[in-house]
Amino acid sequence: KGKNPPTKIDAVIFHPIKKKVYFFVGNQYYRFDFSEPEGFEDDVGAIGVDGWKGLPKDTKIDAAILHPNGKGYFFVGKHYYRFDFHCDQVDKVGIIGEDGWEGLPPNINAAITYPNGK
């Protein structure tokens, strides 16, 4: 679908309820459906406007992970945003290292969940 595919991806996360993958580029998201062998883009929107309620608008997501607790965590500068997939919105905002994610520095550029859940 995408006539102008993104050239630099800022973050990626799998939505465990919708079973789709979201790529974040600048202040936009691109939703991909990989249920078909080829996979295809089936939605594009503005972060915090067209989807992903509670995430900051007009900024880029630095990193994102699907945590073993079933929530999504998005890192933007010194802040993290915890996303509740069941409620389809952010349910907590915090400062990295102060009220969550102790021991990590701000401005995280990438994140991964290790197979043991860490």
Side-chain angles (χ1 to χ4, degrees), residues 38-49:
E38 300 83 31
F40 65 92
E41 174 191 313
D42 69 350
D43 189 29
V44 177
I47 300 167
V49 176

Side-chain angles (χ1 to χ4, degrees), residues 91-112:
D91 66 356
K92 181 179 182 183
V93 178
I95 297 175
I96 299 167
E98 288 184 23
D99 55 358
W101 297 95
E102 284 79 16
L104 291 180
N107 300 311
I108 295 170
N109 292 321
I112 188 169

Side-chain angles (χ1 to χ4, degrees), residues 3-53:
K3 294 179 184 174
N4 298 310
T7 57
K8 181 189 177 297
I9 296 168
D10 298 316
V12 179
I13 197 165
F14 175 72
H15 194 298
I17 296 173
K18 294 180 181 177
K19 305 290 187 205
K20 301 203 179 189
V21 176
Y22 288 79
F23 293 85
F24 297 89
V25 179
N27 67 349
Q28 299 281 304
Y29 66 83
Y30 296 76
R31 183 176 74 188
F32 278 77
D33 183 348
F34 288 107
S35 63
E36 297 295 324
E38 300 83 31
F40 65 92
E41 174 191 313
D42 69 350
D43 189 29
V44 177
I47 300 167
V49 176
D50 300 317
W52 300 96
K53 186 193 273 186

Side-chain angles (χ1 to χ4, degrees), residues 30-100:
Y30 296 76
R31 183 176 74 188
F32 278 77
D33 183 348
F34 288 107
S35 63
E36 297 295 324
E38 300 83 31
F40 65 92
E41 174 191 313
D42 69 350
D43 189 29
V44 177
I47 300 167
V49 176
D50 300 317
W52 300 96
K53 186 193 273 186
L55 289 180
K57 302 172 191 170
D58 299 324
T59 190
K60 74 176 197 71
I61 305 297
D62 295 324
I65 62 165
L66 174 58
H67 194 276
N69 68 8
K71 307 256 182 160
Y73 287 83
F74 294 83
F75 302 94
V76 179
K78 67 179 185 177
H79 293 95
Y80 70 89
Y81 297 79
R82 185 176 71 191
F83 192 86
D84 185 318
F85 292 104
H86 293 284
C87 296
D88 204 27
Q89 66 183 14
V90 168
D91 66 356
K92 181 179 182 183
V93 178
I95 297 175
I96 299 167
E98 288 184 23
D99 55 358

